[in-house]
Amino acid sequence: MKTKLIGLMVVLVLLLGSYGSVSAAPVDDEFRVNTYTDSHQSTPAVAMDASGNFVITWHSYGQDSSGYGVYAQRYDRTGNPLGSEFQVNTCTTSHQYTPAVAMDASGNFVITWASHQDGYGYGVYAQRYDRRGNVLGPEFQVNSYTDDHQRFPAVAMDASGNFVITWYSDQEVGTGIDYDVYAQRYDRTGNRLGSEFQVNTCTTDNQYTPAVAMDASGNFVIIWHSYKQDRSGYGVYARRYDRRGNVLGPEFQVNTCTTNDQQWPAVAMDASGNFVITWHSYQQDSSGRGVYAQRYDRRGNPLCPEFQVNTCTIDHQSAPAVAMDASGNFVITWESNGQDSSGYGVYAQRYDRRGNPLGLEFRVNTWTIDHPFASAVAMDASGNFVITWNSYGQDGSRYGVYAQRYDRTVTP
């Protein structure tokens, strides 16, 4: 018996040495987030505080009897719902959609979204909450310039609650130039810090779909994709700022490979300001889209070359999201077409603070019928994380929002 046990241990050691451990440790089962299930509940976003309490937000069609509206659900660190789902937007005329959320170390949070309510087109709005989910003041408009459309906002918050919101704007309509990236800073009480400002320096063609990350002290980086700036389709660009909003150097290109398109970037930052940017790239792995990433230190220096995240390269792996803990460990999640033999599925890969993979890529969704996709991820200070996504037909009525919690343990 002893000999057999030793043999099994040797085999296990050899397997772990050859392949690494398989995945993160899921906590309980995947769960549905939305309570209201008629029509579509989709495009989720998630934020987590230092202790692991989290909030998920999404848009829902027809729930407020007027197009899309923005809803949210709070959870404690053990995954128990804190109260019921609640509507975020006060104005319900037309559509309020594509929400984003950020949370400070203590659990205070802000949700932002696009709304067709300022009489010109879409504008960017936001609502602040304390850590108990109480509303802090009324919803407010973020963009100062209101002609045409300002849409698809993203938000980041530092440990004390100061935050920045970024979006893209049709601010140069009529000039032959389309979208540009803008941002607005706020203090922890929701007061504006200066005026909205343009992020991108290159204004040729389109710069849009921005994302933002912020460290514990308030230093931040904004990223976006830009059309033909590298003379070959879309490329990913970034710009760094200190906690007072001062620019730290010029905008810079993130992707090294410039053939075809590199787009839909996401970014995460640790407490000290080290950050990672991820995106999808077309045909770089010779098979549809693939997910790539680049790590940076807090001064904006690249840490090693860009690297491929997905192991499975059949068909498309796209639309990545990323989250990072206080020490710099991170997880990247994406959607993969056909990998589970049933449309899109949600996959993820964990890394330590030095960029070493922790185990293999793993499937997040348990339900594989139809199309789970459009994932988002958040991580607490210790490395526990939650992933949320859309799933079609799982709740019996088109799209619903689902989530899965993980602790920081790696399981073989």
Side-chain angles (χ1 to χ4, degrees), residues 31-46:
F31 57 95
R32 191 179 73 214
V33 178
N34 55 291
T35 306
Y36 180 89
T37 59
D38 287 353
S39 193
H40 295 297
Q41 291 75 46
S42 55
T43 319
V46 59

Side-chain angles (χ1 to χ4, degrees), residues 15-28:
L15 285 171
L16 291 176
S18 300
Y19 299 105
S21 43
V22 174
S23 68
V27 180
D28 300 321

Side-chain angles (χ1 to χ4, degrees), residues 70-205:
V70 176
Y71 292 80
Q73 175 66 63
R74 296 168 56 240
Y75 296 88
D76 68 18
R77 57 178 299 192
T78 61
N80 296 309
L82 295 171
S84 302
E85 69 175 38
F86 57 94
Q87 186 162 13
V88 177
N89 55 292
T90 306
C91 174
T92 59
T93 304
S94 190
H95 296 304
Q96 291 75 42
Y97 73 142
T98 62
V101 60
M103 187 175 265
D104 70 16
S106 302
N108 306 292
F109 62 99
V110 61
I111 297 175
T112 182
W113 65 92
S115 178
H116 203 284
Q117 74 184 69
D118 64 10
Y120 295 94
Y122 282 100
V124 176
Y125 290 79
Q127 177 66 66
R128 296 169 54 241
Y129 296 87
D130 68 18
R131 66 190 185 89
R132 295 180 176 85
N134 298 310
V135 173
L136 296 173
E139 69 175 42
F140 56 94
Q141 187 163 10
V142 176
N143 56 292
S144 302
Y145 182 89
T146 57
D147 284 357
D148 213 79
H149 299 302
Q150 290 74 42
R151 291 182 284 187
F152 294 95
V155 60
M157 185 175 270
D158 69 17
S160 302
N162 306 292
F163 61 99
V164 61
I165 297 174
T166 183
W167 65 93
Y168 72 77
S169 174
D170 293 4
Q171 191 150 337
E172 297 180 70
V173 170
T175 65
I177 299 170
D178 294 319
Y179 302 120
D180 287 293
V181 176
Y182 288 80
Q184 175 66 61
R185 296 168 56 240
Y186 294 87
D187 68 18
R188 58 179 299 192
T189 60
N191 296 310
R192 288 177 181 265
L193 295 172
S195 302
E196 69 175 43
F197 56 95
Q198 187 168 355
V199 178
N200 56 293
T201 307
C202 174
T203 58
T204 306
D205 285 299

Side-chain angles (χ1 to χ4, degrees), residues 350-412:
R350 296 176 63 235
Y351 296 87
D352 68 18
R353 60 191 296 262
R354 294 178 178 85
N356 299 308
L358 295 173
L360 307 179
E361 69 176 40
F362 57 96
R363 192 179 71 207
V364 177
N365 56 290
T366 307
W367 170 277
T368 59
I369 300 170
D370 285 311
H371 300 289
F373 69 106
S375 59
V377 59
M379 185 175 270
D380 70 16
S382 302
N384 307 295
F385 61 99
V386 61
I387 298 174
T388 183
W389 65 91
N390 293 335
S391 184
Y392 188 79
Q394 189 170 347
D395 65 8
S397 177
R398 301 186 182 181
Y399 289 109
V401 176
Y402 288 78
Q404 176 66 66
R405 296 168 54 238
Y406 295 86
D407 69 24
R408 58 182 179 171
T409 305
V410 180
T411 57

Side-chain angles (χ1 to χ4, degrees), residues 258-381:
T258 59
T259 306
N260 294 315
D261 293 323
Q262 292 75 42
Q263 58 190 144
W264 302 108
V267 61
M269 186 174 270
D270 70 16
S272 301
N274 307 292
F275 60 100
V276 62
I277 298 173
T278 183
W279 64 93
H280 69 227
S281 180
Y282 186 69
Q283 288 291 336
Q284 189 170 343
D285 63 8
S286 303
S287 177
R289 289 185 288 269
V291 176
Y292 291 79
Q294 175 66 67
R295 295 169 54 241
Y296 295 87
D297 68 18
R298 65 190 184 89
R299 295 180 178 86
N301 299 309
L303 297 170
C304 78
E306 69 176 39
F307 57 95
Q308 187 163 10
V309 177
N310 56 294
T311 306
C312 174
T313 59
I314 299 169
D315 210 285
H316 294 303
Q317 291 75 44
S318 55
V322 60
M324 186 175 265
D325 70 15
S327 301
N329 306 291
F330 61 100
V331 60
I332 296 176
T333 181
W334 66 92
E335 60 188 43
S336 181
N337 189 28
Q339 189 169 343
D340 63 6
S341 302
S342 177
Y344 279 97
V346 177
Y347 289 78
Q349 175 67 64
R350 296 176 63 235
Y351 296 87
D352 68 18
R353 60 191 296 262
R354 294 178 178 85
N356 299 308
L358 295 173
L360 307 179
E361 69 176 40
F362 57 96
R363 192 179 71 207
V364 177
N365 56 290
T366 307
W367 170 277
T368 59
I369 300 170
D370 285 311
H371 300 289
F373 69 106
S375 59
V377 59
M379 185 175 270
D380 70 16

